[in-house]
Amino acid sequence: MSDLGQLSEKLAVALGSALVERKLVVGELTITVAADRILEVLKHLRDDPDCAFKILVDLCGSDWPNREKRFDVVYHFLSLTRNRRIRVKVLLGEGEAIASCVSL
């Protein structure tokens, strides 16, 4: 199993129901997270020694008008000590909000 594959398995155990989906495609790990648990997940990704994602590379969004939860909030993180990246997504519907990660 690849390094990111092992990380994906560890995150599934550690985050439980906060993790909605996880995908490892073309060497990139993407996890989809429940909106109300985003700060808990981001804190884990930052503080867990197996993760050590200390750098928020970017934060962006995309609009999928034909979906019920039409907005994706997408975070890209980098771990310099582990030399790996992760994408974290949250799906939101119109009028829904998400907590800011500034406090972390």
Side-chain angles (χ1 to χ4, degrees):
M1 183 181 295
S2 73
D3 185 42
L4 286 175
Q6 291 172 350
L7 177 62
S8 176
E9 294 295 328
K10 288 180 182 180
L11 289 175
V13 171
L15 300 175
S17 63
L19 211 58
V20 175
E21 181 181 41
R22 55 193 170 104
K23 290 182 185 177
L24 183 54
V25 179
V26 193
E28 295 182 354
L29 177 59
T30 301
I31 61 172
T32 303
V33 175
D36 61 338
R37 312 247 333 250
I38 188 64
L39 294 181
E40 168 191 341
V41 170
L42 297 183
K43 187 174 182 340
H44 177 84
L45 292 174
R46 180 192 68 190
D47 296 344
D48 184 281
D50 288 334
C51 298
F53 290 102
K54 308 252 184 216
I55 298 174
L56 174 60
V57 175
D58 66 12
L59 171 60
C60 58
S62 59
D63 182 6
W64 301 88
N66 295 326
R67 283 192 337 207
E68 181 181 344
K69 297 255 183 196
R70 66 182 282 181
F71 300 107
D72 288 352
V73 178
V74 184
Y75 307 78
H76 292 102
F77 288 96
L78 169 65
S79 171
L80 287 176
T81 57
R82 297 285 183 178
N83 191 29
R84 59 185 173 204
R85 297 173 183 268
I86 191 170
R87 177 181 300 115
V88 179
K89 289 185 358 179
V90 175
L91 280 58
L92 297 172
E94 255 183 88
E96 294 181 334
I98 190 169
S100 172
C101 65
V102 171
S103 64
L104 296 176

